Amino acid sequence: MLLKKAFLLLLSFYLTLITATPINAQVNSTQFNNDDTLRGTLNKDRSWWNVLRYQLTIEPDFLNKEIKGSNIIHFAPAGKSTASVMQIDLQSPLKIDSVIYHDKSVSYNKKGMHAWLIELGKRKRNETDSIVVYYSGKPKVAKNPPWDGGWIFTYDKKGRPWMTVACQGLGASVWYPCKDHQSDEPDKGASIKVITADSLQVVANGKREAIEKLSGGKSATTWSVTNPINNYNIVPYIGKYSNWEDRYKSKTGKTLDLSYWVLDYNIEKATPQFNRDTKRMLEAFEYWFGPYPFQEDGFKLVESPHLGMEHQSAIAYGNGFSNGYRGRDLSGTGWGKDWDYIIIHESGHEWFANNITTNDIADMWVHEGFTMYSEVLFIDYHYGKKAADAYCQGIRTKIRNDRPIIGQYGVNNEGSGDMYNKGAGMLHHIRTMLNNDSLFREIFLGLNRDFYHRTVDTKEIEDYFIKKTDLPLQPVFNQYLRATKIPVLEYSYNQGQLRYRFTNCDKDFSMPVRLGDQDQFNIICTTEWKQIEIPASVFVNTISDNYYFTKKRVEL
Ligand SMILES: [Zn+2]
């Protein structure tokens, strides 16, 4: 997902109006309803079964903005559960037409606006099982994709049909029936068969399996992805595409298939842009995060009618084949100008969001904070640490601290849009505390190895950092993830005596701070005044700007 600039600026203005009230009150002011709970919580009709694979077949009707199709949901009962009611999510105005279980039609009822309860009746005691859900209707159409999701029925520059979907946050159930909770990905991947006019090409996740010619000038194209995949990442692209292939020799020694799909009239512009930055991206990210996590499914960039999205092994690209974020440098430092923002950011998500996914969208900072930081690490790898520092300090200036970056659990609620810049700022802050880049890199490699193809909670990520760094990081995580105040390091310096403390923070906030031109001093700074003797020559201005706190000299 991408930072929504204009909209958030407007929002932050209104939020400053209401920040008079304490922050927590602000969070609780968001009203959640029963649909949010049905969507955001793993209730009894969801928790007894584990999704193994989705087998989707859809036929979009471009002119009437309708889709019809089916999803074969392969699942495995958890443990010895005897439950027989399944909650399937499919958002209005789409509707379920029928559900088949072991060749019999079974009954189902709607619960709330977007959930359906399927009565399986007497369930077979199989290891694995499946149901087929047939559905149809007019899916929600996206007004401002990818930020507000839905289906996209549009025309390309030559007036030809162009279709796709973007649905992070809103959820995949906006266009197909599934268990729409991030914690349960189809362990064995998914296939997607799209029936459309055979004059159009269909692209989707993974590898193309088949193109079948059908009557009536139609064809059915099937793509299949074998690795676990987020529901919101399963996406078709339908249009007048041209494509070229390439390969990348991975550090693992394996060769990764690269495949690029753009509208036929953009092939010339796209080729140099994609070829240059995709390989630079893989080189940097395999260095910092380890091998591309979906080797079997390959890596793809697919031109989309919206700016971009991290669709696993079929990344959506709409940045106009130019560098920067639509030509601009988000950091304002110049270090964001020499690479294609969408290729780098969305590809960073293959590691953080797709390889490592959060159970609850309330922890989406793990997706966006780490991926925003992947931009910093891309710059670090290709332009050096100083450039990375400057870029990170530049994006930090965009943080609004309107509300905590962790959202409300169990109700499909994202945290503040600060999860991008502040998530990255916090990681750079921790890197500065650690002051050991080989260990820091080890942690990023370790995260992708130890949480490979897994879903996680913030707590697991916190514990991992605390264990690996051996630093007292919990107060730091609490301050930057769960609060909105940015600590102020107040200090006075007089006749070789440095007095220091933190203000504008949680009362139990504390952290080690290195100072001295050779980092000779490592002080534990808390909210209580402390004192240390330090020669002026060693002290002045040696507290790194890579720490994300404000420094304030006071006269005592
Ligand atoms: Zn993102």
Coordinates of all heavy atoms in Angstrom, one line a residue, residues 1-3 168 309-310 341 345-346 349 352-353 364 367-368 371-372 375 420, ligand 1:
M1 N 0.9 -1.2 0.0 CA 0.0 0.0 0.0 C 0.9 1.2 0.0 O 2.0 1.2 0.4 CB -0.9 -0.1 1.3 CG -1.7 1.2 1.6 SD -3.0 1.5 0.4 CE -4.3 0.7 1.2
L2 N 0.3 2.4 -0.5 CA 1.2 3.6 -0.6 C 0.7 4.7 0.3 O -0.5 4.7 0.7 CB 1.0 4.1 -2.1 CG 1.8 3.2 -3.0 CD1 1.2 3.4 -4.4 CD2 3.2 3.6 -3.0
L3 N 1.5 5.6 0.6 CA 1.2 6.7 1.4 C 0.2 7.6 0.7 O 0.5 8.0 -0.4 CB 2.5 7.5 1.7 CG 2.6 8.5 2.9 CD1 2.1 7.8 4.1 CD2 4.0 8.9 3.0
Q168 N -6.7 -3.7 -0.5 CA -6.1 -3.9 0.8 C -6.9 -3.0 1.8 O -7.3 -1.9 1.5 CB -4.6 -3.4 0.9 CG -4.0 -3.7 2.2 CD -2.6 -3.2 2.4 OE1 -2.2 -2.2 1.8 NE2 -1.9 -3.8 3.3
M309 N 0.7 -1.4 -5.9 CA 0.3 -2.3 -4.8 C 1.1 -3.5 -4.8 O 1.5 -4.0 -5.9 CB -1.2 -2.6 -4.9 CG -1.7 -3.4 -3.7 SD -1.7 -2.5 -2.1 CE -3.3 -1.6 -2.3
E310 N 1.3 -4.1 -3.6 CA 2.3 -5.2 -3.4 C 1.7 -6.5 -3.7 O 1.9 -7.5 -3.0 CB 2.7 -5.2 -2.0 CG 1.6 -5.4 -0.9 CD 1.1 -4.2 -0.2 OE1 1.2 -3.1 -0.9 OE2 0.7 -4.3 0.9
Y341 N 10.2 4.9 -7.4 CA 9.6 4.7 -6.0 C 8.7 3.4 -6.0 O 8.8 2.6 -5.0 CB 8.8 5.9 -5.6 CG 8.3 5.7 -4.2 CD1 9.0 6.2 -3.1 CD2 7.1 5.1 -3.9 CE1 8.6 6.0 -1.8 CE2 6.7 4.9 -2.6 CZ 7.4 5.4 -1.5 OH 7.0 5.2 -0.2
H345 N 9.4 0.4 -3.5 CA 8.5 0.2 -2.3 C 7.7 -1.0 -2.4 O 7.7 -1.9 -1.5 CB 7.6 1.5 -2.2 CG 6.7 1.4 -1.0 ND1 7.0 1.9 0.2 CD2 5.5 0.8 -0.8 CE1 6.0 1.7 1.1 NE2 5.1 1.0 0.5
E346 N 7.0 -1.2 -3.5 CA 6.1 -2.4 -3.6 C 6.9 -3.7 -3.6 O 6.4 -4.7 -3.1 CB 5.2 -2.2 -4.9 CG 4.3 -1.0 -4.9 CD 3.5 -0.8 -3.7 OE1 3.2 -1.7 -2.9 OE2 3.2 0.4 -3.4
H349 N 7.7 -4.9 -0.2 CA 6.6 -5.6 0.4 C 6.7 -7.1 0.2 O 6.0 -7.9 0.9 CB 5.3 -5.1 -0.1 CG 4.8 -3.9 0.6 ND1 4.7 -3.8 2.0 CD2 4.3 -2.7 0.1 CE1 4.2 -2.6 2.3 NE2 4.0 -1.9 1.2
F352 N 8.3 -7.8 3.5 CA 7.5 -7.3 4.6 C 6.1 -6.9 4.2 O 5.8 -5.9 3.6 CB 8.2 -6.1 5.3 CG 9.5 -6.4 5.9 CD1 10.7 -6.2 5.2 CD2 9.6 -7.0 7.1 CE1 11.9 -6.5 5.7 CE2 10.8 -7.4 7.7 CZ 12.0 -7.1 7.0
A353 N 5.2 -7.8 4.4 CA 3.8 -7.8 4.1 C 3.4 -9.1 3.4 O 2.3 -9.7 3.8 CB 3.3 -6.7 3.2
M364 N -0.4 -3.3 10.9 CA 0.0 -3.0 9.6 C 1.3 -2.2 9.5 O 2.0 -2.2 8.5 CB -1.1 -2.3 8.8 CG -0.9 -2.2 7.3 SD -2.4 -1.6 6.6 CE -1.7 -0.6 5.2
H367 N 4.0 -4.1 8.0 CA 4.1 -4.1 6.6 C 4.7 -2.8 6.1 O 5.7 -2.8 5.4 CB 2.7 -4.1 6.0 CG 2.0 -5.4 6.2 ND1 0.8 -5.8 5.5 CD2 2.2 -6.4 7.1 CE1 0.4 -7.0 6.0 NE2 1.2 -7.4 6.9
E368 N 4.2 -1.6 6.5 CA 4.5 -0.4 5.9 C 5.8 0.3 6.5 O 6.6 0.9 5.8 CB 3.3 0.6 6.0 CG 2.1 0.1 5.2 CD 2.4 -0.1 3.8 OE1 3.4 0.3 3.2 OE2 1.5 -0.8 3.1
T371 N 8.7 -1.7 5.2 CA 8.8 -1.5 3.7 C 9.3 0.0 3.4 O 10.1 0.2 2.5 CB 7.5 -1.8 3.0 OG1 7.2 -3.2 3.2 CG2 7.6 -1.5 1.5
M372 N 8.8 0.9 4.2 CA 9.3 2.3 4.0 C 10.8 2.3 4.4 O 11.6 2.9 3.7 CB 8.5 3.2 5.0 CG 8.5 4.7 4.6 SD 7.5 4.9 3.2 CE 8.0 6.6 2.8
E375 N 13.2 1.2 1.6 CA 13.7 2.3 0.7 C 15.0 2.9 1.3 O 16.0 3.1 0.5 CB 12.6 3.4 0.7 CG 11.3 3.0 0.1 CD 10.2 4.1 0.4 OE1 10.6 5.3 0.6 OE2 9.0 3.7 0.5
Y420 N 4.1 4.5 8.0 CA 5.2 4.5 7.0 C 6.4 5.2 7.5 O 7.4 4.6 7.9 CB 4.7 5.2 5.7 CG 3.6 4.5 5.0 CD1 2.3 4.7 5.5 CD2 3.8 3.8 3.9 CE1 1.2 4.0 4.9 CE2 2.7 3.2 3.2 CZ 1.4 3.3 3.7 OH 0.4 2.7 3.1
Ligands
ZN1 ZN 3.4 0.0 1.2

